[in-house]
């Protein structure tokens, strides 16, 4: 016997939103998306309880918005990507699953009230704490050297990947300058370097 999940039909609920509210939600999601692509990975696992199922149902609703061409189709996939970053942020490295359940429940309530800006600000403050708690370069170099000396190459590479994973750089004049410096214009072809055959 085939089991199908009980997913609310967003088609009827999406049509109830006035166009101005759809536009506001679209702008908030686009703003959130532009921020979260620069965030460090800091998500807790979805709890296996009622609040976890509520979160998964919300994700399914946004996929259904995309599949059924509702007013939210244009932002459905972006929203699907934004939801975990906004709702599953760990408050600290040592937070426990009970705290995660409470946080997710509170954040889902904010999401239902369309308090996307508040969720984004909360995420930004958590990310700011993450960046301020990262090790300085001397600590990273010393730890890396110790791991290599002990022969723990995989651990050393993993540590470097975690330290350097700061997201996508913003496209600025400085970023472009640094990229051009690292990738200079190639020299022209010289006749004496070619093989004639």
């Amino acid at each position: 016997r085939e089991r199908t999940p009980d997913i609310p039909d967003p088609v009827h609920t999406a049509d109830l939103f006035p166009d101005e509210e759809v536009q506001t939600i679209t702008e908030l999601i686009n703003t959130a998306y532009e921020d979260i692509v620069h965030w460090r990975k800091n998500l807790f696992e979805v709890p296996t309880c009622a609040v976890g199922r509520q979160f998964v149902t919300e994700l399914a609703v946004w996929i259904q918005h995309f599949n059924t061409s509702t007013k939210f189709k244009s932002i459905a996939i972006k929203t699907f990507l934004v939801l975990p970053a906004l709702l599953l942020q760990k408050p600290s490295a040592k937070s426990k699953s009970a705290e995660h359940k409470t946080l997710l429940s509170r954040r889902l309530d904010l999401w239902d009230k369309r308090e996307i800006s508040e969720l984004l600000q909360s995420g930004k403050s958590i990310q700011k704490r993450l960046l301020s708690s990262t090790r300085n370069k001397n600590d990273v170099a010393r730890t890396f050297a110790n791991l290599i000396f002990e022969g723990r190459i995989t651990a050393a590479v993993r540590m470097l990947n975690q330290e350097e994973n700061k997201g996508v750089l913003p496209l600025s004049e400085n970023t472009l300058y640094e990229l051009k410096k690292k990738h200079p214009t190639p020299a022209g072809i010289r006749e004496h370097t070619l093989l004639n055959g």
Side-chain angles (χ1 to χ4, degrees), residues 54-197:
Q54 187 182 348
F55 173 76
V56 171
T57 300
E58 186 65 26
L59 286 175
V61 163
W62 284 97
I63 291 297
Q64 200 171 5
H65 277 300
F66 180 77
N67 288 333
T68 54
S69 299
T70 68
K71 288 182 177 181
F72 293 115
K73 180 176 181 156
S74 65
I75 59 159
I77 298 299
K78 251 185 202 177
T79 306
F80 183 84
L81 296 172
V82 163
L83 266 169
L86 292 180
L87 303 184
L88 300 179
Q89 282 288 314
K90 276 194 232 174
S92 68
K94 297 183 182 193
S95 58
K96 304 290 183 209
S97 61
E99 186 180 357
H100 297 164
K101 290 176 190 176
T102 306
L103 267 175
L104 183 56
S105 178
R106 190 176 63 76
R107 289 172 180 169
L108 277 167
D109 288 341
L110 289 171
W111 178 260
D112 288 341
K113 296 174 189 168
R114 302 296 178 227
E115 297 288 344
I116 300 167
S117 295
E118 187 175 335
L119 289 166
L120 183 59
Q121 287 307 316
S122 172
K124 281 181 178 179
S125 67
I126 291 170
Q127 288 292 318
K128 193 181 236 183
R129 281 196 310 262
L130 282 176
L131 291 176
S132 66
S133 68
T134 55
R135 296 181 260 187
N136 68 37
K137 291 194 183 225
N138 290 336
D139 291 343
V140 173
R142 185 173 29 258
T143 306
F144 179 78
N146 288 338
L147 289 170
I148 293 293
F149 182 71
E150 293 169 7
R152 297 171 55 199
I153 308 299
T154 305
V157 171
R158 188 180 312 120
M159 185 207 68
L160 283 181
N161 284 338
Q162 288 171 345
E163 285 299 316
E164 294 303 318
N165 187 15
K166 305 258 192 288
V168 180
L169 287 174
L171 187 59
S172 65
E173 291 295 324
N174 188 40
T175 305
L176 285 173
Y177 171 76
E178 291 296 326
L179 283 171
K180 287 177 182 175
K181 198 165 77 172
K182 291 178 183 183
H183 304 280
T185 307
I189 297 174
R190 296 186 194 111
E191 191 65 36
H192 71 279
T193 61
L194 297 176
L195 293 175
N196 295 320

Side-chain angles (χ1 to χ4, degrees), residues 26-27 30 33 122 137 186:
T26 300
E27 289 169 6
N30 285 331
Y33 182 79
S122 172
K137 291 194 183 225

